[in-house]
Amino acid sequence: MLNLPPKVTDRAFERLAEIGAQAQGKALRVAVEGGGCSGFQYEIDLDAVKDDDLVLRGNGESVVIDSVSLPFLTSAVIDFSEELIGARFVIDNPNASSSCGCGVSFSM
């Protein structure tokens, strides 16, 4: 299996442009931390780019992933979803063996 970097959809980059992340000097940070109901959880926030980040660019915007989180997000897809229950950034992670109902927590 190839270790491909995460992919960010056009819809996710468009949403970042709508909220003006780059204009604020920020990028969407996607990180993986221990915890949550399934063992790991995603942290998604607007943040400044750091030296050890992988930077994914599109539509004039940036998504950053730190070097510790990167192995957990190999081949993942970062998207933006708008549903009746709300709008949010979502991660389709092929490395996760299971996830909780909220989609924020997962196990490997």
XYZ file of all heavy atoms in Angstrom:
795
model
N 0.845 -1.189 0.000
C 0.000 0.000 0.000
C 0.886 1.246 0.000
O 1.823 1.355 0.770
C -0.917 -0.018 1.228
C -1.870 1.127 1.269
S -3.082 0.818 2.567
C -3.656 2.448 2.796
N 0.571 2.175 -0.873
C 1.334 3.415 -0.960
C 0.997 4.352 0.191
O -0.146 4.430 0.627
C 1.009 4.131 -2.272
C 1.525 3.496 -3.552
C 0.984 4.252 -4.754
C 3.038 3.484 -3.576
N 2.006 5.045 0.668
C 1.789 6.063 1.694
C 1.592 7.407 1.018
O 2.531 8.165 0.835
C 2.969 6.117 2.661
C 3.011 4.929 3.576
O 2.008 4.279 3.800
N 4.173 4.626 4.110
N 0.371 7.675 0.627
C 0.054 8.918 -0.065
C -0.331 9.995 0.946
O -0.962 9.709 1.958
C -1.100 8.693 -1.040
C -0.823 7.704 -2.170
C -2.094 7.451 -2.967
C 0.279 8.212 -3.075
N 0.023 11.247 0.654
C -0.389 12.327 1.562
C -1.903 12.495 1.512
O -2.557 12.062 0.561
C 0.328 13.551 1.004
C 0.596 13.227 -0.424
C 0.773 11.733 -0.495
N -2.463 13.125 2.531
C -3.900 13.389 2.507
C -4.273 14.254 1.310
O -3.454 15.013 0.800
C -4.157 14.142 3.810
C -2.968 13.886 4.654
C -1.822 13.626 3.729
N -5.519 14.126 0.877
C -6.041 14.936 -0.223
C -7.096 15.866 0.357
O -7.846 15.486 1.245
C -6.668 14.015 -1.271
C -7.303 14.759 -2.436
C -7.995 13.784 -3.385
C -8.619 14.455 -4.563
N -9.624 15.448 -4.264
N -7.130 17.085 -0.138
C -8.134 18.063 0.285
C -9.037 18.334 -0.913
O -8.548 18.607 -2.015
C -7.481 19.369 0.771
C -8.547 20.358 1.251
C -6.467 19.094 1.879
N -10.347 18.237 -0.715
C -11.284 18.456 -1.816
C -11.402 19.941 -2.150
O -11.118 20.812 -1.316
C -12.686 17.924 -1.470
O -13.219 18.694 -0.387
C -12.653 16.437 -1.102
N -11.849 20.200 -3.372
C -12.101 21.586 -3.787
C -13.123 22.241 -2.872
O -13.021 23.423 -2.544
C -12.615 21.626 -5.237
C -11.534 21.256 -6.242
O -10.327 21.341 -5.907
O -11.892 20.873 -7.370
N -14.123 21.469 -2.452
C -15.179 22.000 -1.581
C -14.593 22.482 -0.244
O -14.999 23.517 0.279
C -16.237 20.916 -1.354
C -17.454 21.388 -0.644
C -18.580 20.387 -0.685
N -18.126 19.015 -0.481
C -18.783 17.949 -0.875
N -19.941 18.077 -1.481
N -18.336 16.742 -0.650
N -13.613 21.762 0.289
C -12.980 22.183 1.546
C -12.186 23.471 1.344
O -12.261 24.396 2.162
C -12.082 21.079 2.088
N -11.423 23.537 0.243
C -10.673 24.768 -0.035
C -11.623 25.940 -0.279
O -11.360 27.062 0.169
C -9.758 24.579 -1.251
C -8.485 23.827 -0.954
C -8.130 22.721 -1.709
C -7.638 24.230 0.063
C -6.944 22.040 -1.457
C -6.441 23.549 0.329
C -6.104 22.454 -0.441
N -12.741 25.706 -0.955
C -13.728 26.768 -1.193
C -14.297 27.292 0.113
O -14.492 28.497 0.280
C -14.848 26.250 -2.100
C -14.422 26.061 -3.541
C -15.415 25.244 -4.368
O -16.542 24.974 -3.879
O -15.051 24.849 -5.488
N -14.561 26.395 1.055
C -15.095 26.826 2.354
C -14.067 27.666 3.105
O -14.412 28.672 3.738
C -15.518 25.618 3.187
C -16.058 25.980 4.545
C -17.294 26.864 4.462
N -17.749 27.207 5.788
C -18.409 28.307 6.100
N -18.733 29.167 5.151
N -18.771 28.549 7.319
N -12.796 27.279 3.033
C -11.752 28.074 3.672
C -11.698 29.468 3.069
O -11.503 30.459 3.782
C -10.397 27.383 3.542
C -10.174 26.188 4.452
C -8.888 25.467 4.091
C -10.169 26.610 5.907
N -11.862 29.556 1.753
C -11.876 30.865 1.094
C -13.077 31.681 1.557
O -12.962 32.891 1.785
C -11.883 30.690 -0.426
N -14.245 31.030 1.714
C -15.455 31.728 2.167
C -15.263 32.336 3.550
O -15.759 33.424 3.824
C -16.644 30.758 2.204
C -17.185 30.382 0.850
C -18.244 29.283 0.942
O -18.726 28.971 2.059
O -18.586 28.722 -0.115
N -14.574 31.627 4.428
C -14.395 32.145 5.787
C -13.150 33.027 5.900
O -12.865 33.565 6.962
C -14.374 31.021 6.848
C -13.223 30.044 6.615
C -15.704 30.294 6.888
C -13.113 28.953 7.674
N -12.412 33.168 4.793
C -11.272 34.082 4.760
C -10.094 33.653 5.598
O -9.437 34.481 6.227
N -9.798 32.360 5.613
C -8.690 31.862 6.435
C -7.362 32.508 6.046
O -6.639 33.025 6.900
C -8.598 30.335 6.328
N -7.030 32.469 4.762
C -5.752 33.022 4.300
C -5.675 34.520 4.582
O -4.629 35.022 4.961
C -5.569 32.744 2.803
C -4.206 33.129 2.273
C -3.086 32.270 2.849
O -3.261 31.071 3.049
N -1.958 32.875 3.143
N -6.783 35.230 4.415
C -6.816 36.674 4.673
C -6.506 36.981 6.139
O -6.008 38.057 6.468
C -8.180 37.237 4.285
N -6.788 36.004 7.027
C -6.490 36.155 8.452
C -5.098 35.630 8.796
O -4.712 35.587 9.966
C -7.516 35.383 9.289
C -8.953 35.800 9.097
C -9.899 34.851 9.812
O -9.704 34.518 10.979
N -10.922 34.402 9.108
N -4.357 35.186 7.773
C -3.033 34.620 8.011
C -3.088 33.234 8.616
O -2.161 32.798 9.289
N -4.184 32.532 8.384
C -4.397 31.216 8.995
C -4.545 30.127 7.935
O -4.823 30.399 6.774
C -5.669 31.216 9.855
C -5.711 32.267 10.931
C -4.863 31.884 12.103
C -5.036 32.904 13.224
N -4.296 32.575 14.382
N -4.371 28.892 8.385
C -4.610 27.708 7.574
C -5.491 26.773 8.390
O -5.581 26.906 9.612
C -3.282 27.019 7.238
N -6.135 25.825 7.718
C -6.910 24.809 8.437
C -5.928 23.766 8.946
O -5.227 23.129 8.158
C -7.937 24.150 7.515
C -8.822 23.113 8.209
C -9.835 23.810 9.114
C -9.539 22.248 7.198
N -5.832 23.618 10.259
C -4.957 22.607 10.847
C -5.781 21.357 11.143
O -6.806 21.425 11.812
C -4.307 23.110 12.135
C -3.448 22.024 12.804
C -2.599 22.579 13.914
N -1.680 23.604 13.436
C -0.541 23.355 12.779
N -0.185 22.124 12.495
N 0.228 24.365 12.401
N -5.313 20.219 10.619
C -5.917 18.924 10.918
C -4.875 18.133 11.683
O -3.779 17.873 11.183
C -6.336 18.179 9.625
C -6.917 16.825 9.965
C -7.334 19.012 8.835
N -5.202 17.759 12.921
C -4.270 17.029 13.770
C -4.976 15.803 14.349
O -6.205 15.748 14.420
C -3.764 17.926 14.893
N -4.184 14.829 14.744
C -4.699 13.633 15.411
C -4.105 13.606 16.800
O -2.897 13.760 16.981
C -4.296 12.353 14.632
C -4.728 11.112 15.398
C -4.904 12.365 13.242
N -4.973 13.429 17.794
C -4.531 13.373 19.183
C -5.120 12.150 19.855
O -6.153 11.637 19.431
C -4.959 14.636 19.930
C -4.334 15.895 19.335
C -4.631 17.141 20.136
O -5.417 17.070 21.095
O -4.074 18.190 19.787
N -4.465 11.687 20.903
C -4.998 10.585 21.692
C -6.232 11.035 22.429
O -6.348 12.193 22.808
N -7.183 10.113 22.606
C -8.395 10.440 23.346
C -9.631 10.172 22.529
O -9.581 9.488 21.510
N -10.736 10.712 22.959
C -12.004 10.460 22.276
C -12.542 9.098 22.658
O -11.876 8.308 23.315
N -13.734 8.784 22.218
C -14.368 7.530 22.625
C -13.832 6.324 21.869
O -14.108 5.193 22.248
C -15.889 7.635 22.494
S -16.458 8.247 20.913
N -13.020 6.526 20.827
C -12.496 5.398 20.064
C -10.970 5.286 20.100
O -10.400 4.458 19.410
C -12.957 5.494 18.601
O -14.355 5.392 18.513
N -10.288 6.118 20.879
C -8.841 6.015 21.000
C -8.069 7.194 20.451
O -7.088 7.631 21.026
N -8.487 7.714 19.289
C -7.871 8.897 18.686
C -8.988 9.866 18.332
O -10.123 9.457 18.104
C -7.118 8.551 17.391
C -5.930 7.659 17.605
C -6.027 6.297 17.373
C -4.709 8.184 18.008
C -4.929 5.468 17.554
C -3.614 7.358 18.186
C -3.718 5.995 17.957
N -8.639 11.140 18.260
C -9.630 12.112 17.827
C -8.981 13.166 16.944
O -7.789 13.432 17.053
C -10.338 12.760 19.002
C -9.445 13.577 19.909
C -10.188 14.054 21.139
O -11.340 13.708 21.364
N -9.534 14.859 21.944
N -9.787 13.721 16.056
C -9.313 14.769 15.168
C -9.457 16.110 15.858
O -10.455 16.368 16.520
C -10.138 14.807 13.870
C -10.049 13.539 13.065
C -11.169 12.735 12.887
C -8.863 13.148 12.460
C -11.103 11.575 12.142
C -8.787 11.986 11.706
C -9.909 11.200 11.558
O -9.839 10.049 10.821
N -8.459 16.949 15.682
C -8.524 18.343 16.098
C -8.488 19.153 14.819
O -7.534 19.050 14.040
C -7.326 18.714 16.977
C -7.398 18.189 18.393
C -8.452 18.891 19.228
O -8.654 20.117 19.061
O -9.095 18.208 20.030
N -9.509 19.949 14.574
C -9.592 20.760 13.368
C -9.788 22.203 13.807
O -10.736 22.513 14.531
C -10.757 20.289 12.468
C -10.545 18.824 12.075
C -10.880 21.176 11.241
C -11.713 18.206 11.323
N -8.860 23.073 13.366
C -8.886 24.452 13.838
C -8.170 25.343 12.834
O -7.407 24.861 12.005
C -8.167 24.522 15.188
C -8.508 25.766 15.980
O -9.370 26.555 15.544
O -7.911 25.963 17.047
N -8.401 26.629 12.898
C -7.620 27.577 12.117
C -6.375 27.917 12.923
O -6.465 28.207 14.117
C -8.422 28.843 11.814
C -9.586 28.680 10.851
C -10.296 30.007 10.649
C -9.141 28.107 9.519
N -5.208 27.866 12.278
C -3.953 28.049 12.989
C -2.898 28.589 12.025
O -3.060 28.517 10.807
C -3.501 26.701 13.565
C -2.411 26.817 14.618
O -2.106 27.941 15.064
O -1.859 25.768 14.996
N -1.818 29.088 12.563
C -0.688 29.543 11.752
C 0.127 28.335 11.299
O 0.156 27.304 11.974
C 0.182 30.489 12.565
N 0.790 28.460 10.170
C 1.648 27.398 9.657
C 2.906 27.323 10.515
O 3.481 28.338 10.871
C 2.023 27.671 8.179
C 2.953 26.600 7.646
C 0.773 27.774 7.321
N 3.314 26.085 10.862
C 4.527 25.872 11.653
C 5.588 25.196 10.798
O 5.295 24.636 9.742
C 4.193 25.033 12.882
C 3.216 25.736 13.804
C 2.999 24.997 15.103
C 2.147 25.816 16.034
N 0.835 25.296 16.250
N 6.824 25.232 11.256
C 7.964 24.747 10.473
C 7.858 23.288 10.037
O 8.267 22.946 8.940
C 9.276 24.938 11.249
C 9.672 26.406 11.330
O 9.172 27.211 10.516
O 10.469 26.741 12.215
N 7.341 22.405 10.898
C 7.319 20.979 10.548
C 6.014 20.535 9.879
O 5.772 19.345 9.724
C 7.618 20.113 11.778
C 6.465 20.048 12.767
O 5.638 20.993 12.795
O 6.370 19.054 13.511
N 5.184 21.480 9.462
C 3.893 21.137 8.855
C 4.039 20.713 7.403
O 4.841 21.276 6.659
C 2.954 22.354 8.872
C 2.411 22.671 10.250
O 2.386 21.771 11.105
O 2.005 23.821 10.459
N 3.214 19.746 6.998
C 2.968 19.483 5.584
C 1.894 20.494 5.189
O 0.868 20.604 5.864
C 2.451 18.062 5.362
C 1.909 17.780 3.955
C 3.043 17.767 2.938
C 1.146 16.481 3.923
N 2.141 21.249 4.121
C 1.186 22.268 3.679
C 0.570 21.820 2.363
O 1.272 21.556 1.392
C 1.871 23.643 3.510
C 0.856 24.692 3.086
C 2.572 24.062 4.798
N -0.750 21.701 2.343
C -1.513 21.351 1.147
C -2.234 22.610 0.703
O -2.954 23.223 1.494
C -2.510 20.229 1.465
C -1.895 18.965 2.082
C -2.971 18.068 2.650
C -1.070 18.227 1.051
N -2.033 23.014 -0.564
C -2.585 24.291 -1.027
C -3.593 24.103 -2.148
O -3.443 23.220 -2.986
C -1.453 25.188 -1.517
C -0.564 25.684 -0.406
C 0.458 26.695 -0.899
N 1.160 27.311 0.211
C 2.257 26.813 0.759
N 2.779 25.712 0.310
N 2.832 27.452 1.762
N -4.590 24.974 -2.154
C -5.579 25.000 -3.220
C -6.457 26.219 -3.083
O -6.724 26.667 -1.967
N -6.897 26.783 -4.190
C -7.822 27.908 -4.188
C -7.311 29.076 -3.339
O -8.088 29.787 -2.716
C -9.214 27.437 -3.705
C -10.324 28.377 -4.116
O -10.195 29.137 -5.061
N -11.428 28.331 -3.391
N -5.980 29.237 -3.272
C -5.402 30.319 -2.480
C -5.405 30.066 -0.986
O -5.038 30.937 -0.201
N -5.816 28.881 -0.572
C -5.913 28.540 0.850
C -4.952 27.400 1.178
O -4.424 26.740 0.282
C -7.350 28.129 1.206
C -8.381 29.215 0.977
C -8.230 30.405 1.914
O -7.769 30.246 3.054
O -8.583 31.527 1.483
N -4.754 27.148 2.479
C -3.834 26.098 2.918
C -4.463 25.230 3.998
O -5.196 25.710 4.856
C -2.550 26.717 3.488
O -1.911 27.500 2.517
N -4.123 23.942 3.943
C -4.441 22.986 4.998
C -3.103 22.456 5.486
O -2.242 22.102 4.675
C -5.326 21.835 4.476
C -5.506 20.754 5.545
C -6.677 22.370 4.018
N -2.897 22.431 6.800
C -1.626 21.988 7.356
C -1.822 20.786 8.274
O -2.837 20.660 8.954
C -0.901 23.126 8.106
C -0.522 24.244 7.145
C -1.728 23.675 9.250
N -0.807 19.902 8.247
C -0.811 18.716 9.081
C 0.580 18.586 9.689
O 1.581 18.618 8.971
C -1.155 17.458 8.252
C -2.536 17.635 7.611
C -1.104 16.201 9.124
C -2.856 16.656 6.530
N 0.648 18.440 11.003
C 1.944 18.332 11.668
C 2.558 16.951 11.429
O 1.868 15.999 11.069
C 1.808 18.627 13.170
C 0.955 17.591 13.877
O 1.500 16.548 14.279
O -0.261 17.824 14.016
N 3.868 16.859 11.633
C 4.599 15.624 11.313
C 4.179 14.440 12.178
O 4.281 13.295 11.743
C 6.104 15.867 11.432
O 6.436 16.271 12.743
N 3.690 14.687 13.388
C 3.246 13.594 14.261
C 1.909 13.027 13.772
O 1.683 11.815 13.786
C 3.132 14.077 15.730
C 2.529 13.006 16.614
C 4.502 14.501 16.242
N 1.018 13.890 13.301
C -0.308 13.456 12.840
C -0.287 12.840 11.452
O -1.153 12.030 11.113
C -1.271 14.647 12.835
O -1.408 15.190 14.123
N 0.695 13.211 10.642
C 0.722 12.806 9.242
C 0.595 11.297 9.018
O -0.199 10.870 8.177
C 1.980 13.360 8.566
C 2.049 13.221 7.057
C 0.833 13.843 6.377
C 3.332 13.841 6.527
N 1.323 10.431 9.749
C 1.176 8.991 9.505
C -0.249 8.470 9.729
O -0.669 7.501 9.088
C 2.147 8.351 10.501
C 3.124 9.423 10.838
C 2.371 10.714 10.727
N -1.000 9.103 10.620
C -2.380 8.688 10.893
C -3.332 9.108 9.773
O -4.457 8.621 9.699
C -2.879 9.292 12.211
C -2.131 8.809 13.412
C -1.166 9.611 14.006
C -2.395 7.563 13.957
C -0.469 9.172 15.117
C -1.706 7.119 15.073
C -0.740 7.922 15.655
N -2.898 10.035 8.923
C -3.759 10.599 7.891
C -3.328 10.218 6.478
O -3.778 10.818 5.509
C -3.799 12.123 8.041
C -4.447 12.611 9.342
C -4.156 14.074 9.576
C -5.939 12.344 9.315
N -2.466 9.200 6.349
C -2.029 8.731 5.040
C -3.238 8.367 4.185
O -4.115 7.637 4.641
C -1.105 7.499 5.199
O 0.047 7.901 5.923
C -0.689 6.941 3.864
N -3.317 8.911 2.992
C -4.384 8.642 2.009
C -5.772 9.109 2.446
O -6.770 8.756 1.816
C -4.429 7.157 1.635
O -3.195 6.757 1.075
N -5.865 9.891 3.500
C -7.167 10.396 3.952
C -7.658 11.495 3.007
O -6.885 12.089 2.263
C -7.063 10.935 5.380
N -8.964 11.756 3.046
C -9.564 12.828 2.261
C -10.221 13.813 3.236
O -11.059 13.430 4.050
C -10.605 12.294 1.254
C -11.277 13.448 0.515
C -9.949 11.326 0.276
N -9.813 15.074 3.148
C -10.370 16.138 3.978
C -11.390 16.880 3.126
O -11.074 17.369 2.048
C -9.251 17.073 4.467
C -8.229 16.272 5.282
C -9.828 18.235 5.275
C -6.900 16.951 5.462
N -12.628 16.931 3.602
C -13.731 17.475 2.827
C -14.532 18.431 3.705
O -14.311 18.535 4.908
C -14.607 16.320 2.326
C -15.567 16.710 1.212
O -15.493 17.848 0.700
O -16.400 15.865 0.837
N -15.487 19.113 3.091
C -16.424 19.949 3.830
C -17.825 19.460 3.511
O -18.169 19.262 2.350
C -16.282 21.428 3.444
C -17.146 22.328 4.263
C -16.819 22.638 5.565
C -18.321 22.854 3.737
C -17.630 23.451 6.336
C -19.142 23.668 4.498
C -18.788 23.965 5.802
N -18.625 19.236 4.547
C -19.957 18.673 4.376
C -21.009 19.626 4.937
O -20.845 20.158 6.032
C -20.029 17.329 5.120
O -21.334 16.827 5.113
N -22.070 19.835 4.157
C -23.212 20.621 4.631
C -24.425 19.708 4.647
O -24.843 19.196 3.614
C -23.462 21.812 3.716
C -22.381 22.860 3.801
C -22.696 24.077 2.964
O -23.394 24.968 3.477
O -22.246 24.106 1.810
N -24.964 19.485 5.846
C -26.127 18.621 6.020
C -27.161 19.351 6.866
O -26.887 20.427 7.390
C -25.701 17.319 6.716
C -24.646 16.540 5.943
C -24.075 15.382 6.746
O -24.465 15.204 7.913
O -23.225 14.666 6.208
N -28.305 18.748 7.029
C -29.352 19.359 7.856
C -28.892 19.583 9.289
O -29.289 20.551 9.926
C -30.602 18.468 7.856
C -31.397 18.447 6.555
C -32.550 17.454 6.666
C -31.934 19.827 6.225
N -28.031 18.685 9.793
C -27.587 18.806 11.181
C -26.457 19.820 11.351
O -26.056 20.122 12.455
C -27.151 17.442 11.753
C -26.036 16.833 10.895
C -28.332 16.511 11.882
C -25.405 15.589 11.506
N -25.934 20.342 10.246
C -24.892 21.357 10.333
C -23.830 21.176 9.267
O -23.824 20.213 8.514
N -22.932 22.125 9.226
C -21.840 22.109 8.258
C -20.534 21.935 9.019
O -20.348 22.521 10.098
C -21.831 23.415 7.468
N -19.619 21.114 8.451
C -18.354 20.875 9.143
C -17.333 20.275 8.195
O -17.683 19.721 7.147
C -18.557 19.943 10.336
C -19.055 18.565 9.921
C -19.500 17.736 11.114
N -20.082 16.486 10.622
C -19.646 15.290 10.953
N -18.647 15.146 11.780
N -20.215 14.219 10.474
N -16.065 20.394 8.577
C -15.015 19.697 7.860
C -15.047 18.248 8.306
O -15.217 17.963 9.497
C -13.651 20.330 8.159
C -13.483 21.680 7.516
C -13.724 22.835 8.223
C -13.103 21.783 6.184
C -13.586 24.078 7.627
C -12.962 23.022 5.575
C -13.209 24.165 6.296
N -14.918 17.331 7.367
C -14.965 15.901 7.662
C -13.731 15.226 7.074
O -13.145 15.702 6.105
C -16.253 15.235 7.118
C -17.474 15.756 7.831
C -16.379 15.429 5.623
N -13.363 14.101 7.674
C -12.191 13.360 7.226
C -12.599 11.928 6.929
O -13.147 11.238 7.792
C -11.089 13.395 8.301
C -10.690 14.844 8.548
C -9.889 12.558 7.877
C -9.906 15.076 9.786
N -12.355 11.503 5.695
C -12.555 10.113 5.297
C -11.188 9.456 5.397
O -10.319 9.688 4.560
C -13.112 10.036 3.878
C -13.337 8.607 3.420
O -13.278 7.681 4.259
O -13.550 8.408 2.213
N -10.986 8.679 6.451
C -9.673 8.122 6.750
C -9.672 6.609 6.528
O -10.264 5.864 7.312
C -9.293 8.454 8.191
C -7.861 8.120 8.506
O -7.209 7.361 7.800
N -7.368 8.684 9.596
N -9.000 6.115 5.480
C -8.974 4.673 5.220
C -8.171 3.903 6.270
O -8.267 2.672 6.334
C -8.317 4.571 3.844
C -7.454 5.778 3.743
C -8.204 6.858 4.495
N -7.410 4.590 7.115
C -6.614 3.931 8.156
C -7.432 3.610 9.401
O -7.005 2.812 10.218
C -5.438 4.833 8.564
C -4.619 5.252 7.364
O -4.084 4.421 6.655
N -4.554 6.548 7.119
N -8.580 4.245 9.546
C -9.416 4.047 10.733
C -10.181 2.737 10.607
O -10.872 2.497 9.627
C -10.388 5.208 10.900
N -10.029 1.862 11.611
C -10.754 0.595 11.587
C -12.187 0.770 12.067
O -13.073 0.010 11.702
C -10.031 -0.453 12.438
O -9.900 -0.001 13.773
N -12.423 1.781 12.889
C -13.777 2.108 13.325
C -13.792 3.560 13.766
O -12.752 4.150 14.045
C -14.223 1.203 14.484
O -13.440 1.457 15.631
N -14.991 4.134 13.821
C -15.118 5.506 14.297
C -16.414 5.617 15.088
O -17.302 4.788 14.979
C -15.107 6.499 13.131
O -16.196 6.285 12.288
N -16.508 6.668 15.870
C -17.716 6.885 16.648
C -18.772 7.563 15.776
O -18.488 7.983 14.670
C -17.397 7.735 17.879
S -16.917 9.414 17.473
N -19.957 7.678 16.275
C -21.055 8.242 15.513
C -20.853 9.690 15.104
O -21.322 10.124 14.061
N -20.101 10.452 15.897
C -19.911 11.873 15.589
C -18.845 12.083 14.515
O -18.744 13.168 13.961
C -19.560 12.659 16.844
S -17.957 12.216 17.560
N -18.024 11.069 14.235
C -17.001 11.188 13.205
C -15.758 11.924 13.623
O -14.864 12.162 12.819
N -15.659 12.286 14.900
C -14.502 13.018 15.394
C -13.471 12.065 16.002
O -12.299 12.346 16.046
C -14.935 14.070 16.452
C -13.755 14.748 17.098
C -15.838 15.103 15.794
N -13.918 10.900 16.436
C -13.064 9.945 17.128
C -12.958 8.658 16.296
O -13.915 8.266 15.633
C -13.676 9.657 18.503
O -12.921 8.717 19.191
N -11.788 8.013 16.345
C -11.601 6.786 15.557
C -10.561 5.893 16.213
O -9.832 6.306 17.095
C -11.174 7.123 14.119
C -9.815 7.747 13.997
C -8.724 6.981 13.642
C -9.623 9.098 14.249
C -7.459 7.553 13.530
C -8.369 9.678 14.129
C -7.272 8.896 13.780
N -10.499 4.650 15.766
C -9.462 3.719 16.228
C -8.767 3.144 15.009
O -9.273 3.186 13.896
C -10.071 2.622 17.089
O -10.978 1.849 16.326
N -7.567 2.612 15.252
C -6.769 2.047 14.155
C -6.402 0.615 14.477
O -6.343 0.215 15.574
C -5.503 2.866 13.931
C -5.817 4.255 13.438
S -4.368 5.227 13.076
C -3.946 4.603 11.478
